[in-house]
Amino acid sequence: MPSEAVGRRPEGWGQAGVASANGRPTGAPAIDGLAAGRVLHPGSAAQVADALADAVSQGLAVAPLGGGTALALGNVPDRLDLALSTAALGDVIAYEPGDLVLSVGAGARLADVQALLAEHGQELPFEAPRGDRATIGGLVATAIAGPRRLANGTLRDLLIGIAVAHPSGTVTRAGGMVVKNVTGFDLPRLYHGSLGTLGVIVSANFKVVPAPRHEATVLAVTPDLAAALAAAKSVGGLASRPGALEVMLDGEGWTVAARFFGRPGTVDSAVAAAKGVLGEGTRRLEGAASTAWWRRYVDGQAIEVGPDEVMVRAAVRPRDSGSLAEAILGVIGEHGVTSRAVSVSPGLGTVVARLGFPQAPDGAPALRRVQRALLGVADHVTILAAPPAWKAGLDVWGEPPATLDVMRALKSQFDPERTLNRGRFAGHI
Amino acid sequence: MDQTTLVARLEAVVGPTGVFHRPADLLVYEYDGSVDGAVDTARPAAVVLPTSAEQVAAVVRIANEAELPVVARGAGTGLSGGAVAQRGGIIVSLSRMDRILDVDRDDRTALVEPGVINLELSEHTLPGGHFFAPDPSSQKACTIGGNVAENAGGPHCLKYGVTTNHVLGLEVVLPDGRIVWLGGRAAHTPGYDLTAALVGSEGMLGIVTKALVRLTPAPEATLVLLAAFGDIDGASQAVSSVIAAGVLPAALEMMDALTIQAVEPAYHAGYPLDAGAVLLIELDGATDEVRETGEEVAALCAAAGATAVRAATAKAERDLLWKGRKMALAAMGRLAPNYYLHDTVVPRSKLPITLRRVGEVAREFDIPIANVFHAGDGNLHPLMLFDRRERGAVERVLAASNELLHFCVSPEIGGALSGEHGIGTEKRDHITLVYTADDLAAMAGVKNAFDPRLTFNPEKLFPKGYMCGEVRALRAQALAQKHGIYAF
Ligand SMILES: Cc1cc2nc3c(=O)[nH]c(=O)nc-3n(C[C@H](O)[C@H](O)[C@H](O)COP(=O)(O)OP(=O)(O)OC[C@H]3O[C@@H](n4cnc5c(N)ncnc54)[C@H](O)[C@@H]3O)c2cc1C
């Protein structure tokens, strides 16, 4: 453990651009173009808490930093002085295959965790873009999840315990290492999706599940969106429920992708049933090919954009997914932007789109208009990533709910000086 | 505000039939399902039975004016004293808000009022092929509002998850009397996941006036296996090997000899009377998958020493096997006039050692203890049988329970203080066994954010004498000492 890298005195800590004591490179991370003056790599929960308390006393603004795969998410920070990396907190703290529970440090990479679980025939039924870099802490904080959410939910559903370092200098725990627990308020789930604005997640505990014995995917290409959505609806209604079901823009046409898990025989009959409703011209991907196809698809939803690009996510009640997708295509046409990728999750009611803005480099007014138009057709709209200059002045989370005052009160209970990710979260919390 | 004015104000909101205030009418509201003695009883100033969220909000505002606490109440089946008005005040009973407002088969959701009975929702939606997965053993009586407040579980939560995994959104009356929605039909509500905070908050953060819950499609096939074992150890080994084999049953319940002896003569569920323990293992899913997995599980049970394994696929047969489990608590009346239901969770691998300890405690304290519980989750429910008329019986039971609590949450075992019944008043003084002052301060932060005047369901969850505001000040002080800095 790089204890010498982290002490009570700032000068002992890793500096930007310098290798830290544990040998990991520490290039100065930037969020929306704002570079953190310093980056620290605390090696224990207590060191994270100490670093936070020091930051409070010095009036610094801090961003927790995981694998850096989702730094584009959120509003442009009001300020950024210090990045607190969880890179030195990546240990597996406890793994009991017989109990199907796992405790890992926040800095553990998703892919490493899955590889460890796979050795015991288990998994987190969960995926995220860039799993080789994305950390558990970051995934809990951002609530990012992939298409398997349809059948398995998100990390929120798997979380059974958490440890968090707070700006008050304390480390607190909630939940534990058992799969059922109602001891006190459910803080683990409250931290899920809080974008590191309440505290720095230092470790998280999950229930894990037996890995499915087999998987296969059926792909069907249709000429238009309506046909694709109708096909997806029939597949979604099959008794053999898909583990993931997506509809995506693919060149000129739309592809329906349905993924099935289970025993080989079960998967076979599910695939047969899906082919039955999808008709001729379907393609079947088996086992590893299926896994690889979905990994590519999920990686395509990485939260990052080019200089003329915006990534948005819109949500409605699932049954309105079709009209949402159509409406989004309408907005795209009206505002002179182009669709580079569109993914519809009909069972979840969400659409994720990557939009090209020919108005670049000055896309800000167009983005503002597009956001307003999308808010008119969806219940919730998140601008997942956009060039920082375009985001400035926007709330990328859309309209905050009526409970914003409760959220502010929560923030001031946990982080009264707004030390953590200042301004980045909904309502510029 | 004097009592007469209070009653008049409340009646103006809900009508004269919606307010109870005479001592005789208040009597049943002094209790919930907890054992008298484990939990103190208390008399509210009034009980109000609103029929809409607006009425709930108006009642909360009156309570605020009168500076009275507010305690929400569902069916009162809670087992940790949650619905008891410890500091008096107004009990808001949601029992008249019992409509199923909407069932959406496409979205697989139901919008219900909080007073809807858990089982009624599943019975209502099952003909269309859906059910509400959380199925507490009290499901014939308990309400969805109470389930949300306690984050209730049940046998089928092993596969399907507990209440929080099935709540998409909540309409809530906040302690300031506002009506707000948390979460909803669309995913990705901006900001903190306040829905998550509300579920399991024991009525301390808000009163649920509508719940948007997930419905689960009924499986294509269901199989129930009954496996009998010579002793509890064998049954626990079988639990471990099923889990280790990568099988995720829909439910995996254990009953010991004492339970079988209470249940079988009463309900003729078909449990072998000479068994030391039986497991009920339910598998569901695609027909072929269920058949194959069933064979595998039967073999695992046999390998773990099962003396008999029976499979039931027909509904009537399955229901009969389940009947014994579901009626187990009711059947205990055959063995003793009273029982105390203990609720902790241990890691599944610690079941054998924990169950052995339960046996020792039964002997040490001379209390018959029946075990009927959610083995697949490691959620223990030792049932301590006693007769409260016997002098010292309640004290003895509480002492035995205390012993078991300490054992389960010891570092050696690493269990949880409560798996589904909540902390309430029952375990408030035990919570420091698992949480530090700092851990509790974080929870107090949540309480302060929702309910800064601490009016909703006071005297629950936090240890006696604990003031949320004070702890924050203490923490700031400690911080100032530690770092010599100014803190909040
Ligand atoms: C025989 C028996 C078996 C049981 N088996 C199980 C089991 O298997 N699993 C399990 O989890 N529990 C079980 N329980 C415990 C109990 O049934 C559950 O906790 C249930 O969820 C309580 O529901 P209720 O409507 O009775 O709530 P109440 O007892 O009336 O209230 C419980 C708590 O919820 C709060 N509350 C109630 N309604 C609302 C609302 N609308 N908004 C906000 N707060 C509210 C109350 O203030 C209180 O704190 C059992 C109880 C009994 C008696």
Side-chain angles (χ1 to χ4, degrees):
Chain A
M1 205 181 332
S3 53
E4 68 276 23
V6 187
R8 294 279 301 108
R9 283 164 300 118
E11 26 327 333
W13 294 348
Q15 298 293 311
V18 184
S20 73
N22 62 3
R24 288 188 178 85
T26 67
I31 297 177
D32 291 327
L34 241 70
R38 278 190 294 153
V39 57
L40 305 178
H41 298 80
S44 72
Q47 288 171 356
V48 178
D50 281 345
L52 280 173
D54 278 343
V56 171
S57 67
Q58 295 167 33
L60 304 180
V62 176
L65 179 67
T69 59
L71 291 179
L73 184 63
N75 294 320
V76 177
D78 288 357
R79 213 179 113 181
L80 178 58
D81 304 303
L82 173 68
L84 271 185
S85 162
T86 57
L89 295 169
D91 291 347
V92 172
I93 298 164
Y95 173 36
E96 299 295 341
D99 291 334
L100 287 113
V101 292
L102 167 80
S103 177
V104 286
R109 316 263 159 178
L110 177 62
D112 294 342
V113 170
Q114 297 286 31
L116 170 70
L117 295 171
E119 284 173 27
H120 298 269
Q122 298 179 350
E123 64 163 7
L124 282 169
F126 169 84
E127 77 239 293
R130 306 284 147 83
D132 54 335
R133 277 172 53 209
T135 61
I136 293 294
L139 292 168
V140 172
T142 54
I144 286 171
R148 287 187 73 182
R149 176 171 183 180
L150 177 66
N152 296 100
T154 65
L155 286 183
R156 178 195 199 269
D157 297 288
L158 302 168
L159 258 180
I160 54 171
I162 205 159
V164 172
H166 301 280
S168 59
T170 60
V171 176
T172 68
R173 276 158 233 284
M177 280 290 272
V178 291
V179 295
K180 231 170 144 187
N181 195 343
V182 294
T183 312
F185 295 143
D186 194 346
L187 293 184
R189 274 173 251 280
L190 178 61
Y191 295 125
H192 181 256
S194 65
L195 202 74
T197 56
L198 298 176
V200 179
I201 296 162
V202 289
S203 64
N205 309 344
F206 301 97
K207 62 175 175 183
V208 301
V209 300
R213 300 187 191 193
H214 189 58
E215 71 161 285
T217 293
V218 183
L219 299 172
V221 183
T222 59
D224 66 296
L225 177 59
L229 289 165
K233 188 168 181 210
S234 336
V235 175
L238 290 173
S240 46
R241 300 184 57 208
L245 179 62
E246 298 274 301
V247 172
M248 69 227 56
L249 184 61
D250 198 354
E252 292 302 290
W254 291 84
T255 295
V256 181
R259 188 178 192 183
F260 296 96
F261 297 102
R263 288 168 180 269
T266 314
V267 170
D268 266 348
S269 19
V271 166
K275 284 185 151 186
V277 298
L278 290 173
E280 293 305 298
T282 58
R283 197 148 64 88
R284 171 179 182 157
L285 302 173
E286 205 66 33
S290 165
T291 315
W293 188 93
W294 285 96
R295 185 171 308 128
R296 258 197 318 280
Y297 175 69
V298 172
D299 277 344
Q301 294 188 2
I303 298 186
E304 57 190 23
V305 287
D308 65 341
E309 201 171 68
V310 170
M311 191 176 171
V312 294
R313 178 182 67 198
V316 290
R317 60 192 298 183
R319 59 157 28 174
D320 293 340
S321 310
S323 23
L324 173 66
E326 300 280 6
I328 288 178
L329 294 184
V331 169
I332 290 171
E334 254 168 61
H335 291 83
V337 295
T338 58
S339 50
R340 295 187 177 160
V342 180
S343 295
V344 187
S345 309
L348 301 169
T350 57
V351 175
V352 173
R354 212 175 264 288
L355 308 176
F357 277 60
Q359 298 89 339
D362 185 20
L367 177 56
R368 202 172 280 271
R369 284 194 299 272
V370 168
Q371 185 194 36
R372 207 174 306 127
L374 290 175
L375 282 167
V377 299
D379 290 334
H380 308 304
V381 175
T382 315
I383 297 170
L384 294 172
W390 306 4
K391 289 204 295 187
L394 285 183
D395 187 340
V396 302
W397 304 95
E399 288 154 13
T403 47
L404 183 61
D405 62 326
V406 180
M407 296 182 186
R408 290 219 170 98
L410 267 175
K411 173 72 172 176
S412 76
Q413 288 288 328
F414 283 83
D415 182 18
E417 306 298 327
R418 298 179 69 228
T419 302
L420 285 161
N421 275 340
R422 190 178 299 175
R424 284 182 72 196
F425 201 41
H428 295 280
I429 279 176
Chain B
M1 204 181 286
D2 62 38
Q3 176 80 359
T4 320
T5 316
L6 177 68
V7 170
R9 292 280 306 276
L10 295 172
E11 285 185 348
V13 175
V14 294
T17 58
V19 183
F20 296 158
H21 56 91
R22 289 184 198 86
D25 294 334
L26 296 177
L27 199 61
V28 292
Y29 293 95
E30 294 179 17
Y31 301 83
D32 67 356
S34 319
V35 168
D36 191 2
V39 154
D40 293 334
T41 58
R43 175 170 304 177
V47 174
V48 187
L49 295 100
T51 53
S52 70
E54 289 70 24
Q55 288 187 356
V56 173
V59 170
V60 167
R61 286 194 296 266
I62 292 170
N64 287 345
E65 255 182 73
E67 297 187 0
L68 286 173
V70 176
V71 179
R73 185 180 177 99
T77 67
L79 292 172
S80 52
V84 177
Q86 278 303 324
R87 258 200 249 149
I90 298 174
I91 286 187
V92 177
S93 165
L94 286 310
S95 56
R96 289 188 185 167
M97 293 173 64
D98 60 353
R99 289 174 304 163
I100 296 173
L101 299 172
D102 174 57
V103 170
D104 187 322
R105 307 272 175 190
D106 285 335
D107 282 1
R108 299 189 182 119
T109 59
L111 179 66
V112 302
E113 290 187 325
V116 168
I117 305 294
N118 174 295
L119 186 61
E120 281 174 9
L121 178 56
S122 283
E123 284 179 343
H124 182 83
T125 52
L126 209 50
H130 294 97
F131 66 106
F132 180 58
D135 58 343
S137 308
S138 52
Q139 70 179 152
K140 278 187 182 158
C142 67
T143 65
I144 304 286
N147 297 162
V148 170
E150 299 288 8
N151 191 13
H156 289 83
C157 292
L158 175 57
K159 175 170 175 180
Y160 293 106
V162 294
T163 301
T164 193
N165 305 113
H166 300 272
V167 176
L168 297 169
L170 297 170
E171 185 193 73
V172 170
V173 173
L174 294 173
D176 63 8
R178 266 187 308 160
I179 305 172
V180 295
W181 259 97
L182 317 177
R185 295 183 186 275
H188 306 298
T189 303
Y192 299 123
D193 190 342
L194 300 184
T195 317
L198 239 290
V199 181
S201 66
E202 305 195 3
M204 296 172 66
L205 304 180
I207 300 179
V208 176
T209 49
K210 284 191 190 79
L212 180 73
V213 299
R214 201 188 292 284
L215 295 176
T216 302
E220 192 178 273
T222 306
L223 170 74
V224 178
L225 293 170
L226 175 78
F229 294 84
D231 54 27
I232 283 198
D233 250 20
S236 339
Q237 295 306 339
V239 171
S240 300
S241 48
V242 169
I243 299 285
V247 174
L248 185 61
L252 205 182
E253 301 281 307
M254 194 191 298
M255 283 165 277
D256 68 359
L258 198 51
T259 310
I260 297 168
Q261 281 152 29
V263 163
E264 190 52 28
Y267 299 105
H268 311 289
Y271 307 159
L273 273 167
D274 58 349
V278 295
L279 292 180
L280 265 191
I281 308 172
E282 182 165 305
L283 304 166
D284 69 8
T287 311
D288 293 347
E289 180 121 6
V290 167
R291 199 191 49 246
E292 285 173 35
T293 313
E295 286 162 9
E296 195 179 323
V297 170
L300 288 167
C301 287
T307 50
V309 181
R310 239 179 67 202
T313 44
K315 180 153 177 8
E317 228 183 317
R318 284 191 275 125
D319 286 351
L320 186 62
L321 284 180
W322 269 112
K323 188 170 184 192
R325 165 65 182 93
K326 290 194 172 162
M327 300 308 289
L329 293 182
M332 290 301 157
R334 299 171 71 93
L335 301 181
N338 305 95
Y339 64 75
Y340 177 74
L341 185 57
H342 179 101
D343 166 45
T344 52
V345 189
V346 300
R348 287 166 272 218
S349 57
K350 297 287 181 358
L351 274 178
I353 177 177
T354 308
L355 289 168
R356 273 189 294 256
R357 183 75 195 122
V358 172
E360 285 165 20
V361 166
R363 284 189 295 279
E364 281 165 26
F365 290 81
D366 192 22
I367 298 167
I369 301 185
N371 285 290
V372 40
F373 66 102
H374 315 305
D377 295 318
N379 190 177
L380 298 175
H381 283 331
L383 261 162
M384 305 186 175
L385 303 171
F386 66 103
D387 182 346
R388 71 160 50 260
R389 291 164 304 188
E390 202 182 293
R391 268 190 65 189
V394 173
E395 290 74 15
R396 206 146 38 87
V397 163
L398 292 180
S401 169
N402 190 44
E403 180 71 28
L404 272 182
L405 270 186
H406 278 82
F407 179 81
C408 291
V409 303
S410 65
E412 177 199 359
I413 301 295
L417 200 53
S418 174
E420 43 184 37
H421 298 166
I423 303 302
T425 46
E426 189 201 18
K427 290 177 176 167
R428 60 187 302 207
D429 289 326
H430 288 104
I431 200 163
T432 49
L433 291 176
V434 290
Y435 289 141
T436 64
D438 286 336
D439 299 342
L440 287 175
M443 292 183 188
V446 176
K447 175 68 174 170
N448 286 329
F450 277 86
D451 185 15
R453 295 188 304 146
L454 313 179
T455 55
F456 270 22
N457 213 0
E459 304 294 330
K460 305 290 159 71
L461 199 150
F462 295 101
K464 261 193 207 92
Y466 185 101
M467 301 290 289
C468 293
E470 264 174 32
V471 161
R472 222 183 117 200
L474 278 178
R475 194 166 61 154
Q477 220 177 51
L479 186 68
Q481 274 166 9
K482 188 169 164 195
H483 299 288
I485 54 164
Y486 154 82
F488 55 94

